[in-house]
């Protein structure tokens, strides 16, 4: 299972997602015999890479905010 595909967070995977949508439009039997499995795997890999990049970026931003907060608290403790 994957998240909603066509969102602002998944812009880098649009081409692969469009190909998967086109494959699914071929019909039920086309999907049943596994003709879309390779594209599905590519979508999963792309979404995973995008998620890992996003979480790494968020982690770095959180570290910076935490350091700033700790500096402010240290300044408050030093002045009181």
């Amino acid at each position: 299972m994957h998240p909603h595909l066509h969102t602002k967070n998944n812009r880098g995977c649009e081409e692969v997602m469009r190909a998967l949508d086109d494959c699914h439009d071929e019909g039920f039997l086309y999907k049943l015999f596994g003709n879309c499995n390779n594209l599905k795997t590519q979508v999963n890999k792309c979404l995973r890479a995008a998620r890992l990049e996003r979480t790494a970026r968020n982690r770095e931003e959180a570290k910076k905010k935490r350091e700033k907060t700790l500096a402010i608290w240290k300044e408050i403790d030093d002045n009181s």
Side-chain angles (χ1 to χ4, degrees):
M1 203 63 173
H2 51 72
H4 293 289
L5 295 180
H6 301 288
T7 64
K8 64 180 174 76
N9 293 332
N10 301 327
R11 296 281 186 231
C13 303
E14 275 189 71
E15 186 176 320
V16 178
M17 291 186 293
R18 191 172 301 114
L20 180 63
D21 286 341
D22 292 343
C23 185
H24 285 174
D25 290 343
E26 292 291 326
F28 174 73
L29 289 177
Y30 197 77
K31 290 189 295 185
L32 180 67
F33 290 114
N35 293 325
C36 299
N37 289 351
N38 186 33
L39 289 171
K40 173 70 170 139
T41 301
Q42 289 177 10
V43 168
N44 287 343
K45 286 180 181 180
C46 184
L47 291 174
R48 181 176 179 358
R51 180 179 52 83
L52 291 176
E53 180 183 318
R54 194 170 53 249
T55 55
R57 188 174 54 244
N58 288 344
R59 189 175 303 111
E60 288 302 315
E61 289 175 9
K63 281 183 184 179
K64 290 177 186 175
K65 286 181 182 179
R66 180 69 179 158
E67 289 172 1
K68 183 179 177 182
T69 302
L70 289 176
I72 291 170
W73 278 109
K74 184 178 183 328
E75 182 182 331
I76 290 172
D77 287 344
D78 289 345
N79 291 335
S80 52

